[in-house]
Amino acid sequence: MNKIVYNIFQGLVFILRKSPKFLRRGFFKLLAKFAYLVALKTNNIIELNLKLIFGRNISKEEIKEIQKYSYFNMLLWVQSLIENLDITNTELKNSVSIENKEIIDKVVEQNKPIILISAHFGNMEMLSTYVNKNVIKLCQVARQSNFKEIDEFIIKAREKSGSKIVFRDGAVKKLVKALIKKQAVSLIIDQNINSKDGTEVEFLGKKAYQSSTSATLARKFDAVIIPIAIFNEDDYKYKIKVYDAILPIKTNNEENDIKELSQLQANALSDIILEDKKQWFWPHKRFKSHYREIYEKNTNN
């Protein structure tokens, strides 16, 4: 990244950190509205995904509402990444509530490794920060960008809460080390993946490939998979929900075990998304592996 551009980025972050909360949040709301107006291609992808899943059971008005909310939520991640640099744990607890934490506590008491799975849903930055500070320290997998300086900023911001960030390339070895130590790892498994690296599942009622990493690791290390999600509520309040644990499956048929575990996870994430569909990341071409034609026909790849 050009040094001048990076310095401008750092300067903007500094200004946003020091700005009154209402101005900072107003800025991101305005940016979200602008993004909705200009990102026509992304709006189209959102609409294609929604129509694929819900067909005639979703109105044009609801599609428009979800399109607008998608940009608000994406920028909310950035906003929270900045705000969490200075947030106190008291402020965090005043903003976030959690349901069914005892599900995680029970597995910790059993001294078993934990794999938390989640989707691009709600305010993921608040989810990560709260869990690391108040529930359990996580080893989290992140996607590396094309900008080293931005990656360093994101790692620093996220690790301030106590998490350990590892990039996707070469992440499996580090996840294995964490699980051997009976530590908790966190994976987001709701994005499109090719058949070579994933397992075919039914996701939101449609065929898709899903990362098999969590299923493979759970089977190998007797790790308990726990779905978790955070729901945005009014006035920048959030509710974390912990869902029933998915126990590891290990028979003589490894391929079938992985497929069964993968489908159980797909079911859990599908149910979470259907609780409040507007909070999921609809701009992603999630179903491209099996429904490529809808994207190629209606968008420019």
Side-chain angles (χ1 to χ4, degrees), residues 31-40 43 64 67-68 71:
L31 203 58
K33 290 179 180 179
F34 177 74
Y36 165 74
L37 293 174
V38 300
L40 301 181
N43 287 339
K64 187 175 180 179
Q67 288 170 331
K68 290 180 177 180
Y71 299 105

Side-chain angles (χ1 to χ4, degrees), residues 106-278:
K106 182 179 179 181
V107 180
V108 172
E109 289 172 5
Q110 295 171 344
N111 197 31
K112 288 188 175 182
I114 295 173
I115 301 174
L116 292 185
I117 61 163
S118 56
H120 290 81
F121 185 93
N123 190 341
M124 299 186 304
E125 293 299 333
M126 292 300 288
L127 173 64
S128 170
T129 300
Y130 185 92
V131 169
N132 275 290
K133 286 191 173 185
N134 297 291
V135 182
I136 191 169
K137 293 291 187 291
L138 300 172
C139 178
Q140 298 176 257
V141 178
R143 182 189 293 270
Q144 194 166 6
S145 74
N146 296 323
F147 305 108
K148 178 182 176 182
E149 296 86 353
I150 297 296
D151 288 337
E152 289 175 352
F153 169 78
I154 292 173
I155 290 174
K156 183 179 179 181
R158 289 177 175 167
E159 291 191 340
K160 190 172 182 180
S161 67
S163 68
K164 173 64 178 175
I165 303 297
V166 297
F167 286 122
R168 184 170 299 178
D169 292 339
V172 174
K173 289 183 179 179
K174 295 179 181 178
L175 295 177
V176 166
K177 289 181 180 179
L179 292 172
I180 289 174
K181 295 177 182 179
K182 304 295 178 67
Q183 296 174 347
V185 305
S186 175
L187 297 170
I188 297 175
I189 61 168
D190 63 329
Q191 291 196 313
N192 183 53
I193 195 168
N194 60 48
S195 58
K196 180 182 177 182
D197 299 321
T199 301
E200 187 179 72
V201 296
E202 187 174 285
F203 180 72
L204 290 173
K206 300 297 180 182
K207 289 183 178 181
Y209 286 112
Q210 178 175 284
S211 171
S212 56
T213 300
S214 51
T216 302
L217 292 174
R219 184 182 185 277
K220 183 175 181 62
F221 295 101
D222 195 34
V224 178
I225 299 171
I226 301 178
I228 190 170
I230 188 167
F231 291 76
N232 302 336
E233 298 187 321
D234 295 335
D235 197 28
Y236 295 96
K237 302 291 184 183
Y238 310 94
K239 177 181 287 186
I240 294 173
K241 292 186 181 182
V242 182
Y243 295 84
D244 290 342
I246 299 171
L247 301 180
I249 300 172
K250 191 169 187 178
T251 69
N252 293 327
N253 190 333
E254 180 179 357
E255 182 179 352
N256 190 67
D257 292 348
I258 299 301
K259 186 170 182 62
E260 188 173 346
L261 276 170
S262 296
Q263 186 59 60
L264 288 171
Q265 294 174 79
N267 293 345
L269 295 185
S270 294
D271 288 344
I272 289 169
I273 292 165
L274 293 176
E275 283 189 59
D276 189 353
K277 57 181 173 290
K278 73 176 179 294

